[in-house]
Amino acid sequence: MTLLPDEQSSPIDATVSEQELRSYLRFAQNLTAISRRIISEKLAQGFSSELKPDNSFVTEVDTAVELALRTEIQHAFEHHGIFGEELQSIN
């Protein structure tokens, strides 16, 4: 598999084993399960929303999901940066 470090760079050769790919898939499936649980709980309880400076809405569900996913990602990939929609980027 060829990975691009960013859109401005040229491709690098990075071989990813099937075992690694399966590991990433399990991790992504776990993130999906975490998101589903939080969303289901918040929908059942009710939630609030706010208007952001760009006039779009953000709900406490959005923020709770992003925070939980960031925590999981930081734990699994502690040297990676994270870009999200609701919280500050981590580089």
Side-chain angles (χ1 to χ4, degrees), residues 29-63:
Q29 289 169 328
N30 183 53
L31 293 180
T32 302
I34 290 168
S35 298
R36 184 180 301 117
R37 179 184 49 78
I38 293 169
I39 292 167
S40 296
E41 289 172 2
K42 295 287 186 183
L43 287 176
Q45 297 168 357
F47 56 89
S48 64
S49 64
E50 298 179 2
L51 194 59
K52 297 192 297 189
D54 68 359
N55 289 322
S56 64
F57 285 96
V58 60
T59 68
E60 63 183 90
V61 181
D62 298 320
T63 306

Side-chain angles (χ1 to χ4, degrees), residues 3 16 19-31 34 68-83 90-91:
L3 303 175
V16 179
Q19 181 179 357
E20 287 175 296
L21 287 175
R22 289 184 190 281
S23 174
Y24 295 142
L25 176 60
R26 283 190 303 275
F27 184 74
Q29 289 169 328
N30 183 53
L31 293 180
I34 290 168
L69 298 184
R70 284 170 172 261
T71 299
E72 293 295 316
I73 294 166
Q74 285 177 310
H75 179 73
F77 304 100
E78 59 190 43
H79 298 294
H80 287 220
I82 299 175
F83 293 96
I90 300 169
N91 292 321

